Amino acid sequence: MEVLRPQLIRIDGRNYRKNPVQEQTYQHEEDEEDFYQGSMECADEPCDACEVEQTPQGFRSTVRAPSLLYKHIVGRRGDTRKKIEMETKTTISIPKPGEDGEIVITGQHRNGVISARTRIDVLLDTFRRKQPFTHFLAFFLNEVEVQEGFLRFQEEVLAKCSMDHGVDSSIFQNPKKLHLTIGMLVLLSEEEIQQTCEMLQQCKEEFINDISGGKPLEVEMAGIEYMNDDPGMVDVLYAKVHMKDGSNRLQELVDRVLERFQASGLIVKEWNSVKLHATVMNTLFRKDPNAEGRYNLYTADGKYIFKERESFDGRNILKLFENFYFGSLKLNSIHISQRFTIDSFGNYASCGQIDFS
């Protein structure tokens, strides 16, 4: 990170600088998570956007946060909370681990409460970004015609290209898990899952109904493409999905959903547009059939894992199957899918959904 071009963190519609911090490595996990000992200059400027209530004793502000993140506000041996309290002349009350509730900030001076609130917001945002993705918004592509088309693709590829380096049955997607991802989510409580359901329902009422016409979107899954720039060393091969009528409605719909969730903070902004693709081959599956693409950098309990990949030679596959037709289907639902889970049909478990018709 360059000093003159620091990372910006957007919270409640306002931008804050995240200045470079010299992080240290400790023996214990809780020590690794406490970097507050560095600079917090990005939170030194009071923000009037914070809601502060005047009380007979002074001023008060509350912050709702999932209990999983409380420890990052407390810090190692309580050092983070003590430092914020000392520097802002406030008192910070945090619920006990495992208990849902509000972080309560009180103080004699309004600016002190605002400063403490802003620092806590920055810490929460920073450590939320360090959490592994837990859920994702997606269309399921598990209709019979597409699954049969995928199995036909797998059979033909293995019959014609199994002698190519790295090509074998282990790197093919599970046909029951074929899907189109709209965006990745970090949902750390039932309240956040409910918030996501409500946001999805708002999207349906405000623009999805207009774009879909209250009917399923009829699409085709046809053609293949690869993710990287060397067809001789491919890690991910995907099928393309497009509207049957040649319109841009599917792309418009998913882009607007992504934009709405990014604006709310539920999805971290990485891209301005959704790349519509259905993964059909992935070298991560070679050693782990349950791997989940480039997002599978952490285990379910948040520990980082290194995924060594053996790429495959995709040149013949791309030449022979460039326009392969997997089938047509109707997209009628957007699901909030939970990673590392399987429902009774072999797909990802869904925590909520909206239907177009």
Side-chain angles (χ1 to χ4, degrees), residues 291-324:
E292 298 177 9
R294 68 183 184 87
Y295 305 107
N296 197 34
L297 297 176
Y298 296 87
T299 60
D301 60 359
K303 294 182 180 179
Y304 180 81
I305 53 176
F306 174 70
K307 287 287 182 180
E308 184 178 352
R309 308 173 76 138
E310 178 192 349
S311 301
F312 67 92
D313 186 345
R315 287 174 292 186
N316 284 332
I317 297 175
L318 290 161
K319 180 180 178 180
L320 296 172
F321 301 95
E322 179 182 6
N323 298 310
F324 187 89

Side-chain angles (χ1 to χ4, degrees), residues 98-347:
E99 294 184 1
D100 291 328
E102 295 180 329
I103 299 172
V104 180
I105 308 161
T106 56
Q108 295 295 315
H109 305 286
R110 185 174 186 275
N111 280 353
V113 172
I114 291 174
S115 179
R117 165 66 188 269
T118 304
R119 294 176 185 218
I120 288 173
D121 284 342
V122 169
L123 285 170
L124 290 172
D125 181 82
T126 298
F127 284 105
R128 174 178 288 277
R129 290 170 184 262
K130 291 177 178 285
Q131 300 300 312
F133 293 115
T134 59
H135 298 74
F136 58 98
L137 297 177
F139 291 102
F140 291 162
L141 306 177
N142 54 0
E143 290 192 14
V144 174
E145 180 181 344
V146 169
Q147 288 192 10
E148 291 178 347
F150 170 81
L151 291 173
R152 190 174 68 255
F153 169 77
Q154 178 176 344
E155 181 181 355
E156 293 183 19
V157 167
L158 292 175
K160 298 176 181 179
C161 306
S162 61
M163 297 302 292
D164 295 342
H165 176 77
V167 176
D168 61 53
S169 60
S170 69
I171 62 176
F172 286 85
Q173 174 67 281
N174 179 342
K176 295 179 180 180
K177 288 189 172 184
L178 289 168
H179 63 276
L180 281 179
T181 299
I182 299 174
M184 304 300 296
L185 298 157
V186 175
L187 306 178
L188 303 178
S189 67
E190 289 299 323
E191 181 180 345
E192 292 187 348
I193 294 174
Q194 182 58 38
Q195 183 184 357
T196 302
C197 291
E198 293 171 358
M199 178 68 67
L200 203 52
Q201 182 62 34
Q202 290 175 16
C203 291
K204 172 181 167 65
E205 295 170 359
E206 294 178 16
F207 59 84
I208 289 178
N209 284 338
D210 290 338
I211 296 174
S212 68
K215 300 177 182 179
L217 298 179
E218 297 188 20
V219 303
E220 291 179 322
M221 185 166 155
I224 58 172
E225 190 56 84
Y226 60 106
M227 284 291 188
N228 57 308
D229 58 1
D230 184 354
M233 302 232 356
V234 176
D235 283 317
V236 176
L237 191 79
Y238 63 89
K240 295 180 279 189
V241 179
H242 58 268
M243 290 290 298
K244 251 186 175 183
D245 61 11
S247 71
N248 198 44
R249 288 190 296 150
L250 175 59
Q251 188 69 58
E252 179 187 358
L253 188 152
V254 296
D255 283 348
R256 291 189 64 178
V257 170
L258 177 68
E259 180 182 16
R260 178 60 60 86
F261 273 79
Q262 287 175 338
S264 72
L266 287 170
I267 290 180
V268 175
K269 186 170 183 178
E270 291 183 285
W271 321 106
N272 293 322
S273 181
V274 177
K275 185 177 182 67
L276 290 171
H277 70 283
T279 298
V280 293
M281 298 173 71
N282 190 330
T283 56
L284 285 179
F285 300 153
R286 196 186 304 279
K287 294 184 178 180
D288 181 5
N290 296 313
E292 298 177 9
R294 68 183 184 87
Y295 305 107
N296 197 34
L297 297 176
Y298 296 87
T299 60
D301 60 359
K303 294 182 180 179
Y304 180 81
I305 53 176
F306 174 70
K307 287 287 182 180
E308 184 178 352
R309 308 173 76 138
E310 178 192 349
S311 301
F312 67 92
D313 186 345
R315 287 174 292 186
N316 284 332
I317 297 175
L318 290 161
K319 180 180 178 180
L320 296 172
F321 301 95
E322 179 182 6
N323 298 310
F324 187 89
Y325 186 77
F326 292 86
S328 63
L329 68 160
K330 295 180 179 180
L331 301 181
N332 192 44
S333 304
I334 297 177
H335 293 264
I336 303 168
S337 302
Q338 185 174 355
R339 299 182 70 206
F340 309 109
T341 62
I342 300 177
D343 64 14
S344 58
F345 300 101
N347 206 334

